[in-house]
Amino acid sequence: MASVEVDGYLIEKLISEHEIQVIVQELAERIYTDYQGRVPVLVGVLKGANPFMADLMRELGRGNPETGRPIMPVEIDFIQVHSYDGQVSSGEISQSFDLSTSIKGRDVILIEDILDTGRTLTSLMDRLAERKPNSISICVFLDKPDRRKVSVEAKYCGQQIPDKFVVGYGLDWKQKFRYLPFIGVVGQAVASQISTPPLLLS
Ligand code: IMP
Ligand code: MG
């Protein structure tokens, strides 16, 4: 796929807006099949899950007349944790924002942008399980299985990708690029005044 210049950097497109839409629709079909008749709580992990969570919620709320999938009611809440400093996973997970509602007895679907080492989601699963929900499952947009350090099962996964540091669709590199509507890989800085292009992991 083509590269585009964004804010002085070259970003190589990996997953297009249209492909994202198709992936979200497929995930919504599966979630509807598994949860019909219940009202799950989608718990988005800030900040990265924001666009994915919004798209998934709207897709569930839209239904799909072509497949016969009706509108599915959900509730939403958010939690925020930090594990990354630039491209380096610190290994330590700290929570900075908590749910505003009780999940006791509820069916929780934890929504995350990407599953990398697995530390963040393992820690979150442990923390949320203490609140006695009826069930918890994980839904990630992307998965980098080659990077896994801690075993964690994502019931729903949009797409597996190779071990590359990606940005866009909520994912950042030093808080940049979350706003991009596609997933891309950061390459060289193209503007000569930017002296430190991002280091690529591979
Ligand atoms: P884990 O705890 O190593 O699984 O890390 C998960 C978190 O690391 C995600 O929620 C992201 O915030 C961040 N992360 C992992 N890989 C990437 C990436 O390729 N681009 C941007 N953020 C990433
Ligand atoms: Mg994140």
Side-chain angles (χ1 to χ4, degrees), residues 45-49 81-84 111-114 120 170-172 178:
V45 185
L46 293 171
K47 304 172 192 173
V81 287
H82 299 278
S83 67
Y84 255 70
I111 310 287
E112 176 62 310
D113 49 10
I114 193 165
T120 304
L171 290 152
D172 73 306
R178 290 191 197 274

Side-chain angles (χ1 to χ4, degrees), residues 142-157:
L142 296 176
D143 178 17
K144 290 195 278 195
D146 297 345
R147 295 259 308 160
R148 201 77 81 251
K149 294 275 189 289
V150 183
S151 169
V152 49
E153 189 203 340
K155 186 170 185 187
Y156 308 98
C157 167

